[in-house]
Amino acid sequence: MVEWSEQERSIITSIFSNLDYNDVGPKALSRCLIVYPWTQRYFANFGNLYNAEAIKTNPNIQAHGTKVLHGLDRAVKNMDNIKGTYAELSVLHSEKLHVDPDNFKLLADCLTIVIAAKMGSGFTPEIQATFQKFLAVVVSALGKQYH
């Protein structure tokens, strides 16, 4: 079980309360698919992923990026039981979609970069450490079924 200080809870809540989900989610997912092209294999039915521009403007990618970011709301609202919160999603990604669990970490890294760029100097080392701790717990929860 992960211990969260009140300050960490406040930081995570603050980050998510100020996000433009329709901007940040698609940018993070697009970045992941562009920088790590092997991750595209899970999105074959999403249409044209031929190049970076096609990925960035693909409406299916944009919608899924927003959906993923909204999915993180569940973790924000259930910080004391993130593994339980994502148990079904872990099974889905493992047994039905066969997603490589390392891809969750790659997407988390891309999300960190996009949020850091949005926050600028407000993305302090303390905020980064807390955000990365949060994402590490989410990544672990999503990968739980693989263990």
Side-chain angles (χ1 to χ4, degrees):
M1 181 164 147
V2 176
E3 298 289 326
W4 300 101
S5 70
E6 287 307 312
Q7 186 172 6
E8 288 172 327
R9 290 176 191 274
S10 176
I11 288 170
I12 295 303
T13 302
S14 176
I15 289 171
F16 281 90
S17 69
N18 292 309
L19 283 185
D20 178 352
Y21 285 55
N22 295 320
D23 180 50
V24 173
K27 282 182 178 173
L29 182 56
S30 293
R31 179 180 292 267
C32 188
L33 296 172
I34 294 164
V35 175
Y36 308 107
W38 58 89
T39 62
Q40 293 175 22
R41 71 176 174 249
Y42 302 105
F43 298 92
N45 63 340
F46 274 44
N48 183 5
L49 303 177
Y50 182 70
N51 59 32
E53 191 58 32
I55 292 169
K56 290 190 283 188
T57 59
N58 184 306
N60 294 317
I61 296 298
Q62 292 174 357
H64 193 68
T66 300
K67 181 179 180 178
V68 167
L69 203 54
H70 278 293
L72 288 175
D73 277 340
R74 294 174 57 198
V76 173
K77 293 174 184 166
N78 297 290
M79 288 181 68
D80 293 320
N81 188 22
I82 292 175
K83 286 194 179 181
T85 299
Y86 288 126
E88 285 183 39
L89 269 178
S90 180
V91 170
L92 171 70
H93 283 87
S94 169
E95 296 178 9
K96 187 173 182 183
L97 301 175
H98 307 291
V99 174
D100 180 341
D102 287 340
N103 291 345
F104 302 133
K105 172 102 173 74
L106 298 176
L107 182 56
D109 289 345
C110 290
L111 181 58
T112 301
I113 291 165
V114 171
I115 288 177
K118 288 283 180 195
M119 292 180 68
S121 62
F123 198 71
T124 65
E126 179 183 22
I127 289 173
Q128 178 182 356
T130 300
F131 189 64
Q132 287 187 296
K133 175 182 176 180
F134 172 77
L135 291 178
V137 174
V138 170
V139 166
S140 175
L142 287 169
K144 187 176 187 325
Q145 184 65 25
Y146 296 87
H147 302 303

